[in-house]
Amino acid sequence: MSVTQQQVLDCLARVRSPRGVALTEAKVLSPVTVNDGKVFLSINVEAGEARAWESVRAQAEGALRALPGVSAAMVALTAERRPGAPADARSRGATGVAPAAAHRPPHSPAGSPMARQAEIPGIAAVIAVASGKGGVGKSTTALNLALGLRDLGLKVGLLDADIYGPSVPRLAGINQKPELDDARKMIPVDRFGLKVMSIGFLVEEDTAMIWRGPMVMSAITQMLRDVAWGTLDLLVVDMPPGTGDAQLTLAQNVPLKGAIIISTPQDLSLIDARRGLAMFTKVNVPVLGIIENMSYFQCPHCGTRSDIFGHGGARHEARRLGVPFLGEIPLHMAIRETSDAGNPVVVSAPDGPHAAAYRAIAAAVRDRLAGVTAT
Ligand code: ADP
């Protein structure tokens, strides 16, 4: 039997808050989402109080996970600076927790945005798949690219951080929820040999959630650090689309080895892609390259190719901007159908031309990463 909203609230009422009252009385809770055993909520406090609340967050999450009928629970802590509060509060990052100098990567000079990032134990490299706007096929590409990297013999994880529309569970046909390990950490779902984690395991893809920047960051930080990823060669992060504050904070706070930008050939999307590029450059994350998706139309019947969007824009733009062009993926029914049926093309037609295209891009990404790591 799945847990009810009332049972969740009763459980939270047993957690004490630093304000001396029960957590449910402290006026800090977001609405609670309870969905088929999955529980999600956030605790919203001011940045100056965040430290005092971290243990409450952990306690609340632990209590919920121990509740019968709860299959997964996430409690995010969001800390916002009051207008006029010292800038210092903000420099602690959206979770309100000051960055630990001891975790600073050795190559990151203090004061650079990279200095804020802490490496994730067990994960050799984290890369972001981003797009300037939604609907360009970012998630489809992230998933198939992760599978292409898997085919190269790498141990790969996929973190669906597209908090505004977490589509990876649907695209990968995942119906089960993550289980908990002995430490009550969520274990990513094993699918097609990938370790997959998504906020979509906790909330429905189309749940209209009003996510504010700090809440996004907090939820994603937890998915990065409080998940039993095990050992991975590479974690692919499917970023939320766009280049707003939430994306910038994410790019700044996740220890990224590099970023990949997905663009369609249309001009508008290329303008957006340029913004994406500028965003990563601003936070010193190397752009591994641009992938042109829906590059040309390939007729599923006769195989004829039509450049309906004026193909080649991304390649040209990449050259102009001095970033690598990683490859192109055609607009093809098979990609849409397989992806929407939860059986991505690299898995459903591993010997076909599309799988080969994704694998070629994966190899280019691996080589670029090796170059980035070597320098
Ligand atoms: P985004 O993550 O950028 O919002 P999605 O990956 O969810 O985009 O893709 C949007 C839609 O486009 C989906 O229906 C998907 O199946 C389809 N799609 C993505 N890439 C291709 C492609 N190369 N060919 C055909 N359809 C595609």
Side-chain angles (χ1 to χ4, degrees):
M1 260 263 297
S2 283
V3 70
T4 64
Q5 179 120 15
Q6 192 54 51
Q7 286 168 321
V8 167
L9 290 172
D10 290 346
C11 172
L12 293 170
R14 290 192 289 274
V15 177
R16 300 291 296 171
S17 79
R19 294 188 184 164
V21 291
L23 182 54
T24 41
E25 299 298 316
K27 298 193 172 62
V28 292
L29 295 187
S30 70
V32 175
T33 309
V34 182
N35 168 26
D36 197 18
K38 300 172 282 183
V39 182
F40 181 79
L41 69 137
S42 71
I43 299 176
N44 311 298
V45 297
E46 281 178 9
E49 298 176 288
R51 267 173 190 279
W53 283 85
E54 175 45 38
S55 65
V56 180
R57 185 206 67 72
Q59 229 180 305
E61 196 172 74
L64 288 173
R65 286 180 185 171
L67 207 59
V70 169
S71 54
M74 182 181 279
V75 181
L77 177 63
T78 76
E80 270 182 305
R81 186 164 68 100
R82 259 178 300 118
D88 167 62
R90 171 144 278 184
S91 71
R92 290 178 178 184
T95 52
V97 178
H103 287 240
R104 194 173 286 157
H107 51 273
S108 302
S112 88
M114 292 288 273
R116 266 178 244 165
Q117 303 168 358
E119 306 283 357
I120 302 165
I123 303 182
V126 185
I127 60 169
V129 174
S131 64
K133 64 169 193 174
V136 301
K138 174 181 53 59
S139 299
T140 303
T141 310
L143 175 58
N144 280 298
L145 175 65
L147 290 163
L149 289 158
R150 172 208 67 175
D151 287 350
L152 298 176
L154 300 174
K155 278 185 82 177
V156 184
L158 178 62
L159 170 60
D160 175 11
D162 186 348
I163 224 108
Y164 304 112
S167 55
V168 168
R170 178 173 50 85
L171 298 179
I174 299 174
N175 301 314
Q176 77 262 44
K177 288 141 214 155
E179 312 220 315
L180 303 179
D181 69 4
D182 293 344
R184 304 206 70 73
K185 273 190 169 195
M186 279 190 267
I187 306 170
V189 171
D190 217 310
R191 183 73 170 149
F192 311 129
L194 300 178
K195 295 203 169 182
V196 183
M197 189 63 207
S198 168
I199 193 80
F201 294 146
L202 304 172
V203 296
E204 290 302 310
E205 183 178 349
D206 54 2
T207 307
M209 282 203 128
I210 313 294
W211 290 88
R212 288 162 306 142
M215 192 161 166
V216 172
M217 194 52 227
S218 173
I220 291 169
T221 304
Q222 273 173 260
M223 284 200 292
L224 271 173
R225 298 183 196 282
D226 293 348
V227 165
W229 289 108
T231 321
L232 294 179
D233 294 315
L234 199 56
L235 178 65
V236 177
V237 181
D238 181 10
M239 295 269 289
T243 50
D245 277 355
Q247 291 80 359
L248 185 68
T249 317
L250 190 60
Q252 224 164 3
N253 285 276
V254 173
L256 295 173
K257 277 268 172 14
I260 295 166
I261 295 173
I262 314 296
S263 177
T264 60
Q266 290 106 310
D267 261 347
L268 179 64
S269 166
L270 288 176
I271 292 166
D272 289 319
R274 250 172 273 163
R275 287 204 193 103
L277 192 70
M279 177 177 84
F280 288 112
T281 308
K282 190 169 167 183
V283 295
N284 289 346
V285 172
V287 173
L288 301 170
I290 295 180
I291 299 174
E292 187 172 82
N293 188 38
M294 311 191 195
S295 180
Y296 53 90
F297 175 71
Q298 201 174 12
C299 174
H301 308 295
C302 62
T304 312
R305 165 180 175 147
S306 321
D307 292 337
I308 45 179
F309 298 123
H311 155 260
R315 182 189 291 273
H316 177 77
E317 190 62 19
R319 195 176 307 130
R320 211 178 66 77
L321 295 167
V323 293
F325 181 69
L326 292 170
E328 57 195 26
I329 302 291
L331 173 71
H332 198 283
M333 286 277 279
I335 298 179
R336 196 199 63 71
E337 280 171 359
T338 52
S339 165
D340 292 351
N343 201 10
V345 75
V346 172
V347 172
S348 54
D351 300 324
H354 305 312
Y358 284 115
R359 272 196 295 270
I361 292 176
V365 168
R366 180 199 50 196
D367 295 348
R368 289 288 309 156
L369 266 177
V372 167
T373 314
T375 51

